[in-house]
Amino acid sequence: MTVDVFGTDALRGAVLEAWRASPTRLREDANTEEDHARGYYRDRVLVELAQNAADAATRAGVAGRLLLRVATTDEGTAVLVAANTGAPLDAAGVASMASLRASAKRDAGAGTVGRFGVGFAAVRAVADEVTVCSTSGAVRFSLADTREAVGRTAAQEAAQGRAALADEVRRRDGSLPALRLPWPTEGRPPSGYDTAVVLELRDAPALDEVRSLLADVDDLLLLALPGLVEVLVDVEGERPRRLADVHDRWDVLTAGGEVPLGVVADRPVEQRTARAWRVTWALPRVPEDAPGGTVPRVVHAPTPTDEPCSLPAVLVATLPLDPSRRHVVPGPLTDEVLARAGEAYAELVGRLAAAGQDAAALVPTGLAAGAIDAALREHALAALVRTPLLVPASPDDDLVPPLRATVVRDLSDGPAVTALGAVVAGLVRVPPSGTAALRALGVEERTLAEVVDELPTGGDVDWTALYDALDAAAQDATAREGLAALPVPLVDGRVVRGPRGVVLLDDDVAGLAPATLDALRSWGLRVADPAVVRPLLARLGAQRLDAAGLLAHPALRAAVLGQADDDDLEHADEVTAAVLDVVAAAGAVPPDAAVWLGLLTLDAADGEPAPAHGLVLPGGAAARLLDDRVLAPVAADAVERWGRDVLAAVGVRDDLVVTTVPDVVAGVADDDGDDPAALAAASLDGWEQYVADLADVLGPGTYCGDVAAVADLDAVDDACWPALLAHVAGTPALRAALVTPVRGEGAAATGPSYTAWWLRTRADLPVPEVFALPGARGLPAALVPPAPDLLHGLDATVLRALGGIGSLAEVPPDRWAVLLERLGPVGTRVPLDVAGHVWRAWARGAGPQEPPATVVALVGPGVAQVVDDAAVADDPRWWQRATSDVPVVPVPGADGSDAGAARTVADLLDLPLASDGTDADVGGGDPEEVPDALLALLPDAPTVWWRHDDLRVGGEPVDWWVQGAGADARMHAVHVAGLAAALAWATGRWASRGAVAALLGDPDDGDAALDLVIG
């Protein structure tokens, strides 16, 4: 007989009596157990068994070991065995298991986990038969035995006429609270363990559920239940797994204490004595993306809840839970524990940071996952900001708490931050992934510019180390902006802010005279101390200058312009000496500097001061060609001191020079100012008129780009013009400045070069505006005179630039008015050969820029005359109508194949077409057949023509007329010659009208037939 060591008979009797007295109580107990087994605790059977094991070890004060084994009994039943060390089962424990929400651990003290006494109900999720074996005895819970006992009791009640209990049992259909009735039994726990819970798994799904739960058992079970030091998982058919030494794989921090009494005042009565709090944070020592590094993002209290936790560590805390043990109950106790958890988390992060771990990765960022998570993050951040955890920029400093930290927005990490850390207190390094963390911590974020603005300009600063460290960062444009105010020590001992405008002198400048260097500094050049010169300074805008670069510096330009406007000759001499020293070192002058360098003051041979560009070098081409009364020779001692090359480089004329005016705009004369364009334009005679004339040709406002011009043309010796022209033509740079036309942006026409314009309009040379090129044929002398002797020997390209043409088609538009004036006044008869040249030029698109006042036109057969009004002939038919009353301008080539040629000439001359407003219809006449001989040669000719005694078009007599074209044309003529013209016109063979006329007179004329056939 089994000994009832735990008094289970009394427990069963009390429960059955309660159900007998109130069947509703049976219903309540059954529903509660079912809710726990199938609802709250449906997937927590292992967690609850482990929790009981941990509490038993804690009560006994021993290291808790837990065995979780799945095996098959001899009867073939699958069982789960959960064996543990610790306090053995006692009567209070049995009573607790058989009750609901009446835990035997109420007075167990700190360290125990269970509170409600309902966790054991989780076994009902997988088993109906449960045995608990301990070294002190054993009990069992059986759904089958419960059904039998309740059924027996219900039957007894029914026999007494009380059927309520039997009715309730029937309605429940066997679903009864198995854990309310304990039974004594026999059994011992496995060797080495003090207690074992044996669950007969209900069916295959229950076995699968347990296997799945066992597969998920990991270090978190040991972390959540500190009373356990070992868990052994032994599943039949699988290799056993042992979990232990969890602190070797996790960084763990545990804190604990006791909450004030007022904090638990709102808790249930049985929980008010549980004032001890405990918080454990655990972080895996492997990366989160590595095996074993994943952290479940839920709160443990101490077993997993459904409350999300976004912090990258496991939190186990004594938080109050609702009856489902899945959600934290809000209230003062929760607030207090979360506050302590936040402090503990900050302590863990600080400890890891001191060990060299990246603390930024542990700072909560982004959005909270829930109310509990939000409160936890708030407390954690509040504690983290006071915790030294950020890596200082200076390696010699300690970790920096976020409250005292500063981060440079444009420089997160690297040598630049290290270098700045030596001079900026609290500056910290930020890994690329840590930006969001620092913002969450409220770290002061300053721009690089703000940090640089506060860098000291005195004291012991290693500028070279700082510059070298910042150099890599300056590759980024944003960083370069932030470094704009970087202090720079100067050679004179001062420290200025900002490399821009600072000059870094190259080695070739070291040979300059000390007086020159003093002058450079006095002109405002900020010269960096050579000891601190580094590539960074140049990258940030400092100018690395050699001697040539100095010449392009605004300070030198300002000094030269200043002395040019100053009457202080002693100061002018100092400026000139310093600048010439730089020019000598440079060996060449930048193109932009040539204009203002010409303003340097030098002595002429007669001792008078003059600008450099107003002097000439003795023995040079300029001295030979230019008038020494305008450009005097430079003093001999200046030549001796500086040499011809240096003086020529600053504008003293050795040869004629080309001055380039940049960015010329037609009609805009920018010659008042000290910019390069204005200075260049001011040095050229007649520039304002030149750009005005360009506007007439190219259109006002047309951009012309850079215009090169031969300078000093107004200073040429009158006796030297032939030699000068030959010199310009034979010197490439001068020649290009003469013969290269000016092209306007978007303009079809081209304008003359300044040099050609000046020679043609201002030189007062005996050169016609238009003249014939040597060897040009067909140009009537009455219109185009030959080239003058002054231009003898010049090539055609140069002559064209000076006004030479090879045909009237080459006459520039602005020269046609002069050409037409040479024909004489209105009424002057013009030889046909001269008129023909003019008409052919117009037909080719050449012509005046503006409609002319007079034109050459036909006023009768073979008679040309200067007239002030005329009409343009559409085609040769209209030539016949030319009279003194209606002059006609013929258009050579307008033979019907190009209908637009006559219109183009009419537009050019602003004249109407002869056909405008004229009735050209012709009727009447006597039809006659075209000779067969001609039809054979002209198959596209009409077969009939109309003979007239008097043929008129628009009231004017004509010899012939054609309406239409080709075989359908209607031809009218008054004689055979007219018929020949009509046939030639109708068949598109106007040039062969002579051959047609010959064949009409002699059909056997073979030469005429051949001409007509061949074309």
Side-chain angles (χ1 to χ4, degrees):
M1 178 177 178
T2 301
V3 178
D4 186 6
V5 296
F6 299 121
T8 61
D9 183 59
L11 293 175
R12 290 194 309 277
V15 171
L16 289 172
E17 183 57 32
W19 291 346
R20 186 196 309 273
S22 175
T24 301
R25 178 65 181 274
L26 170 64
R27 180 183 178 187
E28 291 174 350
D29 288 350
N31 288 341
T32 300
E33 183 174 301
E34 189 172 29
D35 285 344
H36 291 157
R38 298 186 181 183
Y40 302 148
Y41 292 85
R42 64 188 179 281
D43 55 356
R44 304 172 71 91
V45 59
L46 295 185
V47 171
E48 295 300 331
L49 292 174
Q51 178 176 294
N52 290 337
D55 288 343
T58 299
R59 291 197 303 274
V62 300
R65 294 185 297 108
L66 173 64
L67 168 66
L68 296 173
R69 174 178 290 161
V70 173
T72 304
T73 64
D74 294 341
E75 291 79 15
T77 302
V79 297
L80 168 65
V81 178
N84 63 271
T85 58
L89 185 65
D90 56 18
V94 173
S96 174
M97 288 188 290
S99 65
L100 294 175
R101 298 188 59 79
S103 174
K105 307 170 190 175
R106 176 178 59 182
D107 301 319
T112 57
V113 177
R115 287 289 183 271
F116 301 139
V118 296
F120 187 67
V123 300
R124 289 285 284 117
V126 296
D128 297 329
E129 305 296 324
V130 180
T131 301
V132 181
C133 306
S134 185
T135 55
S136 57
V139 295
R140 65 182 178 82
F141 300 89
S142 171
L143 178 60
D145 289 349
T146 297
R147 288 171 177 168
E148 182 181 347
V150 173
R152 189 167 50 249
T153 302
Q156 292 172 358
E157 284 294 286
Q160 298 296 322
R162 295 185 293 272
L165 181 59
D167 292 342
E168 182 61 33
V169 171
R170 184 175 61 257
R171 280 194 296 268
R172 298 210 62 84
D173 193 24
S175 177
L176 298 175
L179 299 183
R180 296 288 279 130
L181 302 180
W183 307 84
T185 189
E186 302 289 340
R188 298 283 296 175
S191 176
Y193 296 92
D194 298 309
T195 304
V197 178
V198 181
L199 308 180
E200 294 184 15
L201 300 179
R202 182 180 300 114
D203 48 26
L207 175 60
D208 293 340
E209 173 72 10
V210 169
R211 282 180 173 271
S212 176
L213 294 174
L214 287 172
D216 292 337
V217 171
D218 55 17
D219 284 350
L220 293 179
L221 194 61
L222 295 176
L223 293 170
L225 302 172
L228 296 179
V229 298
E230 176 189 88
V231 176
L232 181 63
V233 179
D234 183 9
V235 178
E236 190 174 44
E238 298 180 10
R239 186 174 182 179
R241 288 190 299 125
R242 178 178 180 271
L243 300 176
D245 305 318
V246 69
H247 288 267
D248 294 342
R249 296 182 296 280
W250 295 72
D251 287 306
V252 180
L253 185 141
T254 298
E258 190 171 274
V259 299
L261 183 60
V263 171
V264 296
D266 67 333
R267 300 303 302 150
V269 172
E270 291 198 3
Q271 298 179 36
R272 293 175 188 173
T273 57
R275 294 169 52 195
W277 63 268
R278 179 186 177 92
V279 169
T280 296
W281 285 100
L283 190 71
R285 292 180 177 173
V286 296
E288 190 169 355
D289 56 355
T294 302
V295 173
R297 296 303 176 95
V298 295
V299 173
H300 294 69
T303 53
T305 69
D306 290 344
E307 298 288 357
C309 176
S310 62
L311 274 67
V314 175
L315 169 62
V316 183
T318 53
L319 290 163
L321 302 178
D322 64 6
S324 71
R325 296 186 61 80
R326 293 180 180 274
H327 295 284
V328 175
V329 178
L333 178 58
T334 294
D335 296 341
E336 181 72 16
V337 175
L338 289 178
R340 300 294 173 261
E343 295 171 354
Y345 184 76
E347 183 180 348
L348 173 63
V349 173
R351 189 176 74 186
L352 295 176
Q357 195 164 331
D358 178 17
L362 304 177
V363 175
T365 58
L367 299 176
I372 297 298
D373 185 50
L376 181 60
R377 289 158 61 103
E378 180 181 352
H379 292 303
L381 288 171
L384 284 169
V385 298
R386 300 186 299 273
T387 303
L389 54 87
L390 299 179
V391 179
S394 173
D396 298 329
D397 294 342
D398 296 329
L399 292 176
V400 182
L403 272 178
R404 294 195 301 105
T406 298
V407 65
V408 181
R409 182 183 306 156
D410 307 322
L411 287 177
S412 57
D413 200 358
V417 175
T418 302
L420 289 172
V423 290
V424 179
L427 191 64
V428 296
R429 308 170 71 94
V430 185
S433 60
T435 303
L438 266 65
R439 289 176 180 165
L441 292 169
V443 173
E444 181 185 15
E445 189 176 27
R446 304 173 68 188
T447 65
L448 180 58
E450 292 172 335
V451 173
V452 169
D453 281 343
E454 296 183 10
L455 288 177
T457 56
D460 187 17
V461 179
D462 188 349
W463 294 109
T464 57
L466 180 61
Y467 293 163
D468 289 341
L470 291 172
D471 189 62
Q475 304 292 333
D476 177 72
T478 302
R480 288 197 296 273
E481 291 179 9
L483 294 170
L486 188 67
V488 182
L490 302 183
V491 70
D492 59 8
R494 293 179 298 147
V495 178
V496 297
R497 286 199 174 273
R500 189 168 297 279
V502 172
V503 173
L504 314 175
L505 295 181
D506 267 2
D507 294 340
D508 67 339
V509 187
L512 294 177
T516 300
L517 293 175
D518 289 341
L520 294 177
R521 286 192 288 273
S522 69
W523 297 342
L525 268 76
R526 302 191 301 174
V527 181
D529 185 346
V532 303
V533 172
R534 289 294 186 275
L536 172 69
L537 297 179
R539 201 185 312 281
L540 296 178
Q543 291 180 282
R544 179 174 290 280
L545 299 180
D546 54 11
L550 277 176
L551 292 174
H553 197 281
L556 266 76
R557 181 175 178 276
V560 173
L561 295 176
Q563 63 84 39
D565 294 334
D566 195 348
D567 294 332
D568 187 348
L569 294 179
E570 182 177 349
H571 172 65
D573 288 343
E574 292 175 356
V575 173
T576 298
V579 173
L580 290 178
D581 190 20
V582 176
V583 172
V589 171
D592 290 346
V595 175
W596 55 263
L597 284 173
L599 298 174
L600 282 171
T601 301
L602 290 167
D603 288 339
D606 60 3
E608 290 297 320
H613 64 211
L615 299 169
V616 298
L617 285 165
R624 185 174 71 255
L625 298 172
L626 303 180
D627 191 337
D628 61 5
R629 293 170 298 178
V630 182
L631 270 70
V634 70
D637 59 345
V639 179
E640 182 179 353
R641 178 181 180 184
W642 298 109
R644 297 179 67 91
D645 291 343
V646 171
L647 293 176
V650 298
V652 179
R653 306 314 197 207
D654 190 13
D655 193 355
L656 298 183
V657 299
V658 174
T659 295
T660 299
V661 183
D663 300 321
V664 174
V665 177
V668 179
D670 184 13
D671 57 359
D672 184 16
D674 58 8
D675 61 276
L679 292 174
S683 69
L684 298 173
D685 177 63
W687 179 260
E688 184 174 357
Q689 183 59 48
Y690 171 65
V691 295
D693 288 354
L694 277 183
D696 292 338
V697 177
L698 304 177
T702 300
Y703 178 74
C704 304
D706 296 348
V707 174
V710 177
D712 306 319
L713 292 175
D714 55 335
V716 176
D717 190 328
D718 289 339
C720 297
W721 277 113
L724 180 135
L725 292 173
H727 183 67
V728 169
T731 304
L734 301 175
R735 178 186 177 88
L738 169 64
V739 303
T740 304
V742 174
R743 303 185 184 279
E745 190 176 77
T750 59
S753 68
Y754 166 84
T755 308
W757 171 87
W758 198 95
L759 292 173
R760 287 158 59 175
T761 62
R762 298 179 72 89
D764 198 21
L765 297 175
V767 178
E769 292 192 54
V770 178
F771 57 86
L773 293 174
R777 297 181 180 180
L779 284 175
L783 281 180
V784 185
D789 294 340
L790 176 68
L791 306 182
H792 179 70
L794 299 179
D795 61 85
T797 302
V798 172
L799 291 175
R800 275 193 167 88
L802 296 175
I805 61 172
S807 69
L808 290 184
E810 298 178 13
V811 177
D814 60 340
R815 295 290 181 265
W816 269 97
V818 175
L819 211 64
L820 293 175
E821 286 177 3
R822 291 178 181 171
L823 294 175
V826 173
T828 302
R829 187 163 181 171
V830 180
L832 281 180
D833 63 324
V834 175
H837 281 289
V838 174
W839 293 333
R840 278 190 292 272
W842 289 346
R844 293 171 184 168
Q849 188 171 338
E850 298 291 339
T854 60
V855 296
V856 182
L858 287 172
V859 294
V863 179
Q865 187 176 298
V866 176
V867 299
D868 58 5
D869 192 18
V872 176
D874 299 65
D875 52 60
R877 293 175 299 171
W878 299 92
W879 298 356
Q880 308 170 81
R881 299 186 71 249
T883 66
S884 59
D885 293 330
V886 185
V888 172
V889 176
V891 181
D895 56 0
S897 61
D898 184 4
R903 173 58 67 185
T904 300
V905 174
D907 291 342
L908 177 69
L909 303 178
D910 194 22
L911 296 176
L913 289 172
S915 62
D916 292 345
T918 301
D919 183 6
D921 289 338
V922 177
D926 299 323
E928 294 187 14
E929 293 184 353
V930 176
D932 292 338
L934 274 176
L935 290 176
L937 297 174
L938 300 173
D940 53 345
T943 60
V944 177
W945 66 285
W946 277 258
R947 180 186 292 275
H948 294 260
D949 292 330
D950 181 25
L951 180 61
R952 291 180 178 272
V953 174
E956 297 292 333
V958 296
D959 293 335
W960 62 276
W961 199 257
V962 176
Q963 294 169 289
D968 296 328
R970 187 177 180 89
M971 299 186 299
H972 304 268
V974 297
H975 45 57
V976 173
L979 175 60
L983 278 168
W985 178 256
T987 58
R989 293 173 174 81
W990 179 247
S992 301
R993 61 190 179 278
V996 176
L999 287 170
L1000 286 173
D1002 182 7
D1004 296 327
D1005 189 336
D1007 291 336
L1010 183 61
D1011 288 344
L1012 189 60
V1013 171
I1014 294 178

